[in-house]
Amino acid sequence: MRLRSLFSMLLLALILAAPAFGESAEVVDCLSCHEKQTPGSVLQWRQSAHEAAGVGCGDCHGADHQSIDAGEAYVDMEVCGQCHAGALERHKESRHGMGLHSGWGCTRNLTGRDPRECAFCHEEDSAAPLSTVECGRFLKQSFEMGQAGCNRCHQVERSCAACHTNHGTDLAIVRDPAVCATCHMGPDHPQWEAWSTSKHGTLNKSTGIGPTCQDCHMSGGDHNVSAGVAYPSSGLRYDEAETQKRRDAMLDLCAGCHGRNFATRELLNTDTIREQSTALVEQAAEIIRELADERLLAPMPADRPGHPLRGQELVLDQQILFEDVSHIERLYFKMKKYDLAKTLVGGYHQNPDYTHWYGNAELKMDLVDIKSEALRLRRLSALEKGTVRTEPKPDPTQDLERELQRLKSRFERGALDEEAYREQKTKLLEALK
Amino acid sequence: MRLRSLFSMLLLALILAAPAFGESAEVVDCLSCHEKQTPGSVLQWRQSAHEAAGVGCGDCHGADHQSIDAGEAYVDMEVCGQCHAGALERHKESRHGMGLHSGWGCTRNLTGRDPRECAFCHEEDSAAPLSTVECGRFLKQSFEMGQAGCNRCHQVERSCAACHTNHGTDLAIVRDPAVCATCHMGPDHPQWEAWSTSKHGTLNKSTGIGPTCQDCHMSGGDHNVSAGVAYPSSGLRYDEAETQKRRDAMLDLCAGCHGRNFATRELLNTDTIREQSTALVEQAAEIIRELADERLLAPMPADRPGHPLRGQELVLDQQILFEDVSHIERLYFKMKKYDLAKTLVGGYHQNPDYTHWYGNAELKMDLVDIKSEALRLRRLSALEKGTVRTEPKPDPTQDLERELQRLKSRFERGALDEEAYREQKTKLLEALK
Amino acid sequence: MRLRSLFSMLLLALILAAPAFGESAEVVDCLSCHEKQTPGSVLQWRQSAHEAAGVGCGDCHGADHQSIDAGEAYVDMEVCGQCHAGALERHKESRHGMGLHSGWGCTRNLTGRDPRECAFCHEEDSAAPLSTVECGRFLKQSFEMGQAGCNRCHQVERSCAACHTNHGTDLAIVRDPAVCATCHMGPDHPQWEAWSTSKHGTLNKSTGIGPTCQDCHMSGGDHNVSAGVAYPSSGLRYDEAETQKRRDAMLDLCAGCHGRNFATRELLNTDTIREQSTALVEQAAEIIRELADERLLAPMPADRPGHPLRGQELVLDQQILFEDVSHIERLYFKMKKYDLAKTLVGGYHQNPDYTHWYGNAELKMDLVDIKSEALRLRRLSALEKGTVRTEPKPDPTQDLERELQRLKSRFERGALDEEAYREQKTKLLEALK
């Protein structure tokens, strides 16, 4: 805390001193080349509060040009935290600052990785992992997909620039809900879409009175974005006291516009939907486990590339993969990672279409497909094992009866006109003779 | 009509009188608690035209605090209609005001329902339903999903606040197309999405000249949102005269910007697409009916939880469910409720991507999947019944010929290099000897 | 070039002359009727730069009212090009101006086509096609779907109004990224969606500093929208020099804001993802070709309506259809036309959700489904051919062992309580005796 005061004073001093002194020799040195090499970055810095406060290139990037060139002088959150200690502290307490915990896989045995990735899992110069939570899905990606996909969002765990941009400091950027959209969208967690078309989002668009992402999740600029989120996203739960503390923090915000009782009922309603929807997912998981017991998955885990973390095991928990699995597990992946998330994100953001059509209805349709595939696999297997008692040579009279019934049913619903009905009926009866 | 004039005069009187008298004793009484209990609601009212016109808490909520607390003093459209009679009348003539007709299920035999729901189906203190149209899909939902899903949108059938919000009266809210988005979006009727990326929507965004939802569907503030909609959404049809009356009303609006001939051609084009696309859906329904006749649905309706309204019957009309059905019926649900809707909504809003890719192309792909599943079910059943004549012990020479052909075909498309081709060919020929 | 100067001078002359002369007799003649018939169009023209410059109705529509009525006096790009020669020239060099090449099918043998379509494929009064590239998917559409779907976007190949609107000339329309959305969206190429939620799009929304579509693809108003696009969308490639020329043109634009090295790395990263993702698609194609060799597609190409251009052939290249194919080919269509496109569009626009979840992850899930369907088709066929050696009458002891193992496994994961486990175990053992 004292350190922070020190930084604040230092910052104030810099702000006051900078305009008087103009650009320092060091900054001028960088600019002489970079105004030609990277004019955009220089311009963004020139228009920033950093320039006004005399914070120059070297203050963030360091003075060792060789290490900058090698990508080793990464300007991570600790660099920003030298001045912005309060924000950093709260960031670290939130899911945004959880590092490895929220998805980074252990990359040490893989080739072609960006060396900066080490810092996501290890203290400097240490082989000991910072966490035991690793991500099987990430480990299946190519280096390039890891960069363009997973890491593009998960950089928030180390980088303030993920939201604030690299050289600008315009707070309009981070106060607009759009800044959240790039990551908080898509099939796995459509917060952006759910908010945009919720009452909150549409009122924000029409009149500005609907709350933004930041109004509820970063109230007063608090960098702990998880403060009022009562459930961790992993399917785990906080203990009762922690859950209530977080719920109360959110309700305090709701009460700014809504009656507290109304808001409480709303959130409890989605809590119940969470339980109901999770039960649907669990029902599907049990169907798959039973198929695995009967050795009916096609292919079985033993006959396909192993899971990066768990080998030839059937994985249906948070580490479930979407590749190198069987069709029924792929359906389950959609159910667990996409449709359950849409149901809950839709519910907590009061978006009826996300919670019902994109979420809960899809969960139920997936379950139809999963049950259907299970039945199909069992029928095929029974045929292959010869355990289906093939029916005795059919009795032609019974067959005829069934055919006549079909004909009548088609006629009755108008799929057959009277003439065709009679003709085909006669034909059937004659065939018997 | 006379009543309406009376209300208008009364309103005018209130507007003129209110500022002079200040807040009535009654309002002050509510505010003394509610400024602390529900400050947001109070603030919204303070900034509203209602406050300016002297319309206080009790005018809408009544004076019986006990019944308000019990949720029995619901401020429904009839309360608003005491002053806004004209809007209410037109609202009731539109699909927005159709109540039970557009989806509410009969809830009387279910437990845990919100008592206010009774009013959706019954006159006060009467057990007689207001309508015979009930919704099987709604009846399958849990209470919580019914609230967060179905009822969140279908409240428009009873509540002006669905669009206008509870305590605000800012017309900017209801004149922005965003107000429609929360309900008129999603897989079952993506009007919001189709308009947003249509020429109308994009011109509205860039220059304000493209028409909004309200410009075409609530012209001049008319609360009959169905006035120019020529087809009811249920697949039914109005009689010819009514259809033409509605079409003409819409064309009058189109003609504000477009040549009438052009607009007429455009709408007729989608009318034809409606017929073509409906025929694709009917083709799928017939495939499923035939499977049911042959007792090949897996599971058959008799072997699964009954339909809330129709029991163990096969249901393929507007009452089709998306849960507790077979895989092929689930595919049909997507076709009928999602893809047909996208085709038509896309067509009437001149959005090529919705009418073609999200709509018609999906219909055709669903049909591929439905035919494929029908074939699969027939093959499995034939195998189980032993009616597949298993081929006679294969002739090794014929087999060889087929294998050689496959090898050649792989070689010719480059999936096999010349050496491998020769090697495998030699091997095959030797195996024969 | 000289011609262009001439036009420019002519235009200048018109601009200078027009206000002095007022409306010409010819224009007045049109307006006398059209102010009543098509007031919107007249109003748009009145507010346009064309009116100010004295460009009247006849200058674009001609004077032959009969041919206008018959739809034969189509105002295509050549009409606009009389004055806007530079824009037209660049338009024709881009994919926007490629006409038939980018998708128009040969319509000469089909009935009910719009006669104006001829011009898309043929020089005036000539039967010789302008190109050999034709579109099988377009040829499968009804006339109405062709109009409301394909042609709504592909009119850009002949019509400036596709972007500029018919009678307005407001540049605000064509400088807003929304103008691109109507066509560049949807499952087959979601550039609009990918940009909107990318860093570029969200920064554009919050502060205006993020670049628009036009900033990168129509820099300085250049009408060659393909200038910096290094790969044609057809899966073909430019030669190395052309590829590099185009890439360099784009990097020059990136360098306005980013370090050139960073931008180069970014684009190369997606180039590699292109190769990886294309390999997944090719893996799927090979699975389908092998099934076709084994005559296992259901139905086989010989047993379904022929491809409009290739007859009873298996088509897996750019001409692939989404209708009248087998289920596995439908899955492949999604993979090739939707998910590969999303991966690449997401990658080049730096949108992690599109490149990963909507793109690459879907590709991998499709591959799971395709492999699963291939296995299913093989199992069914083997059963039908009787080539599955049905297992010998099962040994009851072995069966028992398997059942006991299943029971234990269910007990261990908690799906069975201890009592039920013991009970069922005892039952099994007794059944053996």
Side-chain angles (χ1 to χ4, degrees), chain A residues 257-278:
Chain A
C257 299
H258 299 285
R260 202 179 174 97
N261 287 347
F262 166 79
T264 304
R265 272 201 309 274
E266 274 297 315
L267 294 177
L268 283 174
N269 195 66
T270 301
D271 289 349
T272 308
I273 289 171
R274 173 190 293 274
E275 280 164 35
Q276 293 163 351
S277 300
T278 305

Side-chain angles (χ1 to χ4, degrees), chain C residues 16-27:
Chain C
L16 294 170
F21 286 92
E23 276 163 10
S24 70
E26 191 208 321
V27 170

Side-chain angles (χ1 to χ4, degrees), chain A residues 88-250:
Chain A
L88 175 60
E89 195 181 308
R90 292 295 285 164
H91 175 83
K92 282 185 172 175
E93 287 168 20
S94 80
R95 276 188 62 79
H96 272 178
M98 279 178 79
L100 180 67
H101 294 275
S102 52
W104 284 96
C106 171
T107 62
R108 65 200 128 161
N109 300 319
L110 299 173
T111 54
R113 295 284 162 186
D114 185 323
R116 295 182 316 207
E117 284 184 16
C118 301
F120 292 117
C121 307
H122 303 282
E123 293 279 3
E124 208 174 322
D125 297 323
S126 159
L130 284 170
S131 165
T132 55
V133 180
E134 299 171 333
C135 176
R137 283 188 297 281
F138 175 70
L139 292 172
K140 295 286 282 187
Q141 303 312 306
S142 69
F143 170 70
E144 289 78 12
M145 275 309 304
Q147 291 292 90
C150 316
N151 292 5
R152 180 94 61 192
C153 287
H154 285 280
Q155 63 170 307
V156 77
E157 293 151 24
R158 296 294 292 172
S159 159
C160 302
C163 303
H164 288 273
T165 75
N166 283 326
H167 295 98
T169 58
D170 186 350
L171 290 178
I173 294 171
V174 285
R175 285 176 180 161
D176 191 296
V179 75
C180 311
T182 307
C183 295
H184 289 276
M185 63 163 280
D188 59 327
H189 48 31
Q191 286 100 343
W192 168 253
E193 296 93 326
W195 172 82
S196 294
T197 48
S198 73
K199 212 70 183 161
H200 286 168
T202 56
L203 280 172
N204 181 269
K205 186 179 168 298
S206 62
T207 60
I209 60 173
T212 62
C213 312
Q214 290 85 344
D215 285 333
C216 299
H217 295 290
M218 294 187 76
S219 175
D222 182 1
H223 275 60
N224 182 346
V225 293
S226 315
V229 178
Y231 293 84
S233 68
S234 57
L236 303 171
R237 298 210 168 180
Y238 298 119
D239 66 40
E240 218 174 300
E242 179 68 15
T243 305
Q244 199 54 52
K245 195 193 98 188
R246 288 163 170 266
R247 175 59 49 88
D248 288 342
M250 186 57 77

